[in-house]
């Protein structure tokens, strides 16, 4: 008697989720096992925080409203800056996978082609969350104080996680587009450096010249910094809250399909 075996075909959405979870675990294990990257996750945010607070605290602190210390003012900006620069790790990891041929091996398997991108971008949330937590703890040690409620901190975490995800997908475009890790580094630098330093992350916009001030007050990093800062200091958040969310969602709407299309096009050859 012939026995007919029938295999149930799983939905594509289930396969995408399953493959993505495997790639997330792979990318997260790389972070944990890579000692250099793990040390950078812990010590780089502390170094940034201590140096910026020490170097700029005396001069910029005088321009702040009475009763606001520069360390409390700086905390939101330094967290967003660290997350922005940390998100470029996604680009480096994707470029490494494509250069070393591991993506070609994945293509020979019955797996979702975009699971690689999902794995790197989601695991970046894990690494940047550790960096942000380390920085907040270091700030508390050197004098940072905040009277935020639990709800305020949940809102801060939500804004930072959404921004991290958006910037990671933006970095994924750079990782797919660049032809080498060196190319990733300079492309990421020319995108992230102006946005973070030409913002309200480290200094108020009031003392800037009109042209620079107009740019600073209307770019995404400034809105995200001001939203997080308002929640940390207990000041009115104004329009910065919804603009921070709108910018992050807008970046995701553009970056996710563009990175996916570029990745499919480049790996199809």
């Amino acid at each position: 008697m012939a026995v007919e075996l029938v295999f149930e075909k799983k939905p594509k959405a289930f396969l995408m989720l399953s493959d993505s979870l495997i790639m997330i675990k792979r990318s997260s294990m790389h972070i944990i096992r890579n000692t250099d990257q793990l040390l950078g996750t812990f010590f780089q945010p502390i170094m940034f925080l201590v140096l910026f607070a020490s170097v700029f605290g005396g001069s910029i602190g005088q321009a702040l409203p009475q009763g606001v210390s520069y360390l409390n003012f700086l905390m939101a900006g330094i967290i967003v800056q660290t997350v922005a620069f940390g998100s470029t790790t996604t680009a480096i990891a994707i470029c490494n996978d494509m250069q070393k041929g591991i993506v070609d091996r994945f293509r020979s398997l019955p797996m979702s082609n975009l699971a690689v991108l999902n794995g790197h971008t989601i695991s970046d949330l894990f690494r940047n969350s550790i960096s942000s937590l380390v920085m907040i703890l270091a700030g508390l040690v050197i004098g940072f104080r905040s009277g935020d409620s639990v709800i305020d901190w949940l809102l801060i975490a939500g804004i930072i996680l959404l921004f991290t995800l958006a910037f990671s997908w933006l970095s994924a475009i750079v990782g797919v587009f660049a032809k080498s890790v060196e190319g990733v580094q300079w492309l990421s630098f020319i995108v992230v450096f102006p946005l973070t330093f030409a913002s309200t992350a480290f200094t108020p916009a009031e003392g800037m010249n009109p042209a620079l001030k107009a740019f600073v007050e209307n770019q995404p990093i400034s809105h995200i910094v001001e939203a997080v800062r308002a929640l940390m200091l207990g000041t009115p958040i104004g329009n910065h809250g919804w603009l921070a969310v709108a910018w992050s969602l807008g970046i995701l709407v553009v970056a996710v399909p563009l990175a996916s299309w570029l990745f499919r096009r480049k790996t199809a050859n």
Side-chain angles (χ1 to χ4, degrees), residues 146-148 152 228-237:
S146 174
D148 293 349
D152 289 333
V228 174
R229 181 176 289 144
L231 291 169
M232 283 185 171
L233 300 181
T235 57
I237 195 170

Side-chain angles (χ1 to χ4, degrees), residues 47-209:
M47 181 183 68
F48 276 144
L49 178 63
V50 174
L51 285 177
F52 273 85
S54 302
V55 173
F56 300 118
S59 56
I60 300 177
Q62 300 175 1
L64 299 179
Q66 188 175 4
V68 178
S69 70
Y70 183 64
L71 179 59
N72 285 354
F73 176 87
L74 174 68
M75 184 60 69
I78 206 73
I79 288 175
V80 174
Q81 184 222 34
T82 301
V83 167
F85 276 101
S87 297
T88 61
T89 306
T90 298
I92 295 173
I94 291 173
C95 185
N96 266 328
D97 278 353
M98 299 187 71
Q99 293 296 315
K100 293 180 179 179
I102 189 68
V103 174
D104 293 331
R105 296 184 182 183
F106 289 151
R107 286 176 58 202
S108 65
L109 301 174
M111 64 175 288
S112 170
N113 200 30
L114 299 180
V116 177
L117 296 183
N118 291 332
H120 286 303
T121 53
I122 300 301
S123 65
D124 199 44
L125 288 176
F126 168 65
R127 189 184 57 79
N128 276 317
S129 297
I130 295 175
S131 293
S132 299
L133 182 59
V134 168
M135 186 173 296
I136 292 171
L137 293 175
L140 290 172
V141 170
I142 65 175
F144 168 68
R145 296 294 180 267
S146 174
D148 293 349
S149 65
V150 174
I151 295 177
D152 289 333
W153 278 108
L154 289 175
L155 291 173
I156 290 170
I159 291 172
I160 292 175
L161 287 173
L162 182 60
F163 169 69
T164 301
L165 185 63
F167 241 66
S168 294
W169 275 101
L170 195 62
S171 296
I173 296 174
V174 176
V176 175
F177 182 78
K179 296 182 179 180
S180 66
V181 174
E182 292 76 14
V184 168
Q185 291 173 339
W186 74 261
L187 281 172
S188 300
F189 180 82
I190 64 174
V191 172
V192 178
F193 189 87
L195 287 176
T196 53
F197 282 89
S199 72
T200 58
F202 311 114
T203 182
E206 283 72 18
M208 302 177 184
N209 68 66

